[in-house]
Amino acid sequence: MRHHFFSVRPLIASALATGLIATVASGCGLFGAEEPKRDASGTITESADADVFALKVGDCVDSAKLGGEEATEISSVGTVPCGQPHDGEVFAETTMATGDFPGDAAAGDQANEYCKQQFESFIGVAFDDSVLDLVPMFPTSESWTYNDDRVIQCVVIASENRTGTMKDSEE
């Protein structure tokens, strides 16, 4: 089972170039997720490839391990202790309403909207004014059906590695 994922800024650029508004899907992992090593407070203590279902708000990630530009689904993510160089951070999460899977486009739209709404309160500037990128992750039809997956997660991505959280970076 996987989640869909996508980078919002390239989609916006594409939408502007074509005059269309589009969304792309984001990714999550396999059932029976392997949890990254964490301390008593829940902070990741060792770099590892972790099942995407094991991600939590505050986890730092290596965006290069999100599957590359061509990928639309992922099952694992490179997690990194936030004190080590990384370029991504899970900053928000919500749960979609129960019921039938709304379809990839509708789920992507919902994830995109939610993550853009949460971006400013985390980073300190609106997404459209930021140099940072955004990767919403949301369920696939398969993970929705077989894993009861309803989670949307938002990952902020920087163009260069950094240490620590990106919260209030105002970039």
Side-chain angles (χ1 to χ4, degrees):
M1 306 318 145
R2 304 171 196 275
H3 276 304
H4 288 288
F5 76 95
F6 64 96
S7 176
V8 174
R9 198 165 308 277
L11 292 176
I12 291 171
S14 174
L16 293 173
T18 63
L20 301 172
I21 303 239
T23 43
V24 178
S26 164
C28 273
L30 302 171
F31 185 72
E34 189 171 314
E35 180 73 25
K37 292 186 180 172
R38 299 176 184 276
D39 64 17
S41 71
T43 302
I44 291 176
T45 59
E46 292 181 27
S47 297
D49 286 336
D51 190 298
V52 73
F53 285 122
L55 287 179
K56 297 179 181 180
V57 171
D59 286 351
C60 293
V61 300
D62 177 359
S63 72
K65 294 188 177 181
L66 286 176
E69 291 182 22
E70 299 298 317
T72 59
E73 293 183 8
I74 59 172
S75 60
S76 65
V77 175
T79 57
V80 180
C82 291
Q84 294 180 6
H86 62 278
D87 65 351
E89 182 176 351
V90 180
F91 70 91
E93 178 177 288
T94 192
T95 303
M96 298 173 71
T98 59
D100 293 336
F101 181 66
D104 289 340
D109 288 345
Q110 185 177 342
N112 186 27
E113 182 178 327
Y114 172 76
C115 292
K116 285 178 82 176
Q117 289 172 354
Q118 300 303 307
F119 189 90
E120 185 171 1
S121 64
F122 184 75
I123 297 299
V125 297
F127 175 73
D128 292 337
D129 297 328
S130 176
V131 298
L132 301 173
D133 205 353
L134 177 61
V135 178
M137 298 192 299
F138 57 90
T140 63
S141 175
E142 184 180 20
S143 69
W144 184 281
T145 301
Y146 297 107
N147 288 14
D148 199 30
D149 177 21
R150 305 291 185 271
V151 176
I152 291 172
Q153 289 182 319
C154 310
V155 180
V156 61
I157 304 292
S159 61
E160 296 180 2
N161 281 346
R162 64 208 38 232
T163 57
T165 184
M166 290 187 229
K167 182 166 179 52
D168 298 325
S169 65
E170 297 185 353
E171 294 179 67

